[in-house]
Amino acid sequence: MAKAPDAAAEFVVDFPTLWVVPYWIEEHCPVPDGFRQGERMELYPWQLWCTVNHYRVKPTATRMPNGQPRGVTAFHYRRSQIVAPQKTGKGPWSATIVLAESRGPVLFAGWAQGGERYRCSDHGCDCGWWYEYQPGEPMGAPWPTPLIQLLATSEDQVANVYRPLREMVKRGHLSEVMKVGEEFTRVGESGLIEVVTSSAQSRLGNPVNFVMQDETGLYTKANKLIRVADTQLRGATLMNGRAMETTNAWDPSEASTAQATAGLKAGDIFRYHPLAPKALSYKEKRQRRKIHAAVYAGSEHVDLDAIEGLAMELIERGELAQAERFFGNRITSGSSSWMDAAKWEGRAKPREVKPGTRVVGGFDGSDIDDHTAIRLETLDGYQFTPRYGPDKRPTVWDPEHFGGQVPRREVQAAMEEVMETYDVVRLYADPPYWETEVDGWAEKYGDKVVVRWYTRRLVQMHEACERLLTDVTKKDSTFTHDGCEITAGHVENARAAARPGKRYVLTKASQAQKIDAGVTSVLAHEAAGDVIAAGLAVKPTNYYYGA
């Protein structure tokens, strides 16, 4: 039996998994290139972690009723998504998974009593390797006729996985049982690994046991690869097979397959996406170095100085967002961000705001497409999302959570509670879709308290955005906020869309991204500035001299 994977000492696994798979990989998949070309593979800790999680077995797993090994339903995860920066080693590792699925013990074959062995010689491989199971360990078996597809956007992209795969086959034991070609690899007499790209979709519809989808952050409706990826997943499921997708961080404005997968709430998808703390700014060199060190941890071949050089080149070309995605592993839009998310995060200092506190607010209302939100700010510069109702829910409403329609009565009830709880001296409300309600609030609380404030007016919106941006980013500012995650996400989504006169307004990169809580932050902060300028920050004292 081969020695234990070197990375195994880096962490503890407290769940059953097919440990035989990473052992098999290190024995059968030699290093494909570089100074160690042809030497025995040594999985990095992150690669081993993803491998053992992908092959994590349910404690209740059993063989099929007919005694045959079981596929997808034996495993804790139906499929996996791996998000890692460029040059971290995703391609060669993906190749090892594809080869394991084509010839290795990737099916659940029951629970070991102890002493059972997996022998390659029992499965047509004369390499002489074997693995001895421990008592209670899940055992593995290979697919009898493996049918595997490798999907990428183009021939150049697919080479990131298929090129190292070919070298591993040629330089290792698998050359005896596989024959590699330009677009497909024969596995034994009946198995096949084939490449599918946007220009070679005729292979779709075939039954497949495993699908490797590379760079799913580039699969969009425009290149039709979302449909291709979905078709592959259906094909694998019908064959009791599984799937894996790997990608760099994606541009959220492109609505890719990777973004769709990340947004799923299903618990049967393993996700690996290493991130550095949000408070670290990618714009600043020292902090960027810390980000790179975090997301490239364990990839020993990576020279962080070289990564810095590549990142700096993109930044100097005005492509900060692209550098942050490629090398910082962060989800950033390709368009111009309004606010540095790290700067906003750095202003988070949650504190209690007592009832009766003198505050101002912002309201941005929608109907069916966007969120509706209320945001408040104290007159010493602390901004927060108020809570309402017995369960203290945040005053942000997503219409998707209410049958596709913002719950107007609930919003009105929340606004009434906010007005009764705090001393609201000014509320700037963007009236479209909510004219009637805004008029009602103005009549009830006073037209000098509830003021119509149109975000579509270019000059005032640009200046208000600039004032909040300045107070968030300048060092001597006392502005702080509650760290509301919804607002932070909306602020990060906001894009500065250029308008005539060197001005801008806030827009979103895509319909899927929302910015409404960020807009209310602008309105609340603008209201605070105007109230302070008008001398209304302190509640006037009334003096009464009775007879």
Side-chain angles (χ1 to χ4, degrees):
M1 184 176 70
K3 71 183 184 71
D6 292 330
E10 299 290 333
F11 53 86
V12 175
V13 173
D14 59 357
F15 51 79
T17 185
L18 290 179
W19 274 107
V20 65
V21 175
Y23 279 91
W24 184 95
I25 285 173
E26 293 196 345
E27 184 68 22
H28 292 81
C29 301
V31 176
D33 50 29
F35 291 109
R36 296 184 56 238
Q37 186 180 54
E39 294 183 16
R40 186 176 183 275
M41 171 72 70
E42 296 175 2
L43 292 173
Y44 290 147
W46 75 263
Q47 295 171 332
L48 180 59
W49 177 247
C50 293
T51 302
V52 297
N53 272 279
H54 185 73
Y55 293 103
R56 178 178 177 178
V57 177
K58 296 176 181 176
T60 57
T62 60
R63 296 173 71 106
M64 296 293 287
N66 59 8
Q68 293 179 355
R70 188 182 292 271
V72 61
T73 55
F75 294 95
H76 186 80
Y77 297 111
R78 178 169 48 89
R79 60 189 183 101
S80 298
Q81 182 187 55
I82 313 302
V83 185
Q86 283 195 339
K87 310 302 181 185
T88 195
K90 294 193 305 296
W93 175 72
S94 297
T96 70
I97 298 297
V98 171
L99 291 174
E101 288 286 338
S102 66
R103 202 67 187 183
V106 296
L107 299 176
F108 173 71
W111 300 94
Q113 297 298 312
E116 296 94 331
R117 291 183 177 182
Y118 176 87
R119 294 182 176 85
C120 281
S121 58
D122 294 338
H123 304 283
C125 178
D126 295 329
C127 69
W129 182 79
W130 53 270
Y131 174 91
E132 184 171 317
Y133 296 105
Q134 300 299 311
E137 183 179 357
M139 298 183 292
W143 289 102
T145 54
L147 299 171
I148 298 168
Q149 286 186 341
L150 171 57
L151 175 63
T153 56
S154 65
E155 285 76 10
D156 289 341
Q157 185 66 53
V158 82
N160 289 337
V161 178
Y162 196 62
R163 183 194 56 76
L165 182 150
R166 294 175 62 187
E167 290 300 318
M168 290 175 184
V169 172
K170 291 178 180 178
R171 299 177 183 280
H173 303 306
L174 295 175
S175 61
E176 301 174 6
V177 292
M178 293 186 186
K179 184 177 181 180
V180 295
E182 291 298 324
E183 295 184 346
F184 60 86
T185 294
R186 293 289 182 187
V187 182
E189 297 182 358
S190 305
L192 184 68
I193 302 171
E194 60 181 357
V195 170
V196 178
T197 65
S198 56
S199 60
Q201 298 181 21
S202 60
R203 300 186 180 98
L204 287 176
N206 297 334
V208 288
N209 304 123
F210 181 76
V211 173
M212 174 64 73
Q213 297 173 339
D214 186 48
E215 286 303 333
T216 53
L218 302 178
Y219 299 4
T220 65
K221 287 185 178 179
N223 60 27
K224 300 180 181 180
L225 283 178
I226 290 180
R227 180 182 63 83
V228 173
D230 290 344
T231 300
Q232 284 187 322
L233 290 179
R234 288 194 300 272
T237 300
L238 292 173
M239 291 295 291
N240 202 24
R242 304 172 72 203
M244 180 180 290
E245 60 177 274
T246 61
T247 186
N248 293 130
W250 54 89
D251 183 337
S253 67
E254 296 179 350
S256 64
T257 289
Q259 182 174 347
T261 299
L264 293 174
K265 296 180 180 180
D268 60 353
I269 300 175
F270 170 68
R271 295 178 175 90
Y272 176 76
H273 186 171
L275 288 168
K278 285 186 177 180
L280 293 175
S281 173
Y282 202 78
K283 290 182 179 180
E284 300 180 17
K285 184 175 181 179
R286 288 185 179 180
Q287 296 187 41
R288 186 165 61 246
R289 181 76 176 204
K290 293 179 180 179
I291 294 171
H292 292 163
V295 299
Y296 283 97
S299 295
E300 296 178 359
H301 68 284
V302 174
D303 185 338
L304 294 185
D305 291 333
I307 297 299
E308 169 62 21
L310 290 169
M312 197 63 224
E313 182 176 332
L314 286 174
I315 293 171
E316 289 180 356
R317 283 162 39 187
E319 298 180 12
L320 171 66
Q322 187 177 160
E324 194 165 4
R325 287 197 306 276
F326 285 172
F327 308 117
N329 213 30
R330 289 176 167 177
I331 310 301
T332 56
S333 176
S335 56
S336 177
S337 296
W338 167 57
M339 178 90 68
D340 185 335
K343 295 290 187 182
W344 178 264
E345 183 77 14
R347 290 287 175 178
K349 294 182 180 179
R351 78 185 203 208
E352 180 185 1
V353 180
K354 295 181 179 180
T357 300
R358 199 165 178 80
V359 300
V360 296
F363 171 81
D364 186 33
S366 182
D367 189 28
I368 58 174
D369 293 327
D370 294 314
H371 292 187
T372 290
I374 303 170
R375 186 92 167 148
L376 300 180
E377 185 171 328
T378 64
L379 294 172
D380 61 352
Y382 175 74
Q383 201 173 94
F384 65 102
T385 300
R387 303 275 172 159
Y388 75 99
D391 50 357
K392 299 301 179 184
R393 285 174 288 178
T395 52
V396 183
W397 294 269
D398 180 350
E400 290 188 4
H401 297 162
F402 300 92
Q405 184 82 41
V406 172
R408 288 178 176 268
R409 289 185 179 181
E410 187 172 318
V411 173
Q412 291 199 67
M415 181 64 78
E416 183 175 337
E417 185 175 332
V418 166
M419 289 294 191
E420 292 177 352
T421 301
Y422 303 100
D423 178 15
V424 181
V425 66
R426 184 73 55 83
L427 176 79
Y428 282 163
D430 191 20
Y433 305 108
W434 289 77
E435 288 88 349
T436 301
E437 289 85 353
V438 172
D439 286 346
W441 296 334
E443 183 177 352
K444 183 174 183 178
Y445 303 110
D447 57 8
K448 291 185 178 180
V449 173
V450 178
V451 179
R452 287 189 174 212
W453 204 98
Y454 292 88
T455 58
R456 66 170 180 260
R457 291 176 178 168
L458 175 59
V459 175
Q460 74 172 12
M461 186 59 182
H462 168 83
E463 292 178 351
C465 290
E466 279 293 284
R467 276 187 277 271
L468 178 56
L469 180 64
T470 298
D471 285 343
V472 170
T473 56
K474 69 179 182 181
K475 292 183 178 180
D476 59 348
S477 171
T478 58
F479 176 84
T480 58
H481 61 77
D482 60 346
C484 171
E485 291 185 2
I486 300 174
T487 304
H490 287 204
V491 167
E492 186 174 0
N493 290 341
R495 301 290 172 256
R499 295 293 186 268
K502 295 184 179 180
R503 295 187 173 93
Y504 64 82
V505 294
L506 298 186
T507 61
K508 49 193 174 185
S510 71
Q511 183 57 37
Q513 293 182 293
K514 305 304 177 184
I515 65 172
D516 311 282
V519 172
T520 60
S521 289
V522 173
L523 299 184
H525 194 62
E526 187 69 359
D530 290 346
V531 164
I532 292 171
L536 301 175
V538 179
K539 188 174 183 178
T541 302
N542 292 323
Y543 296 95
Y544 172 73
Y545 299 93

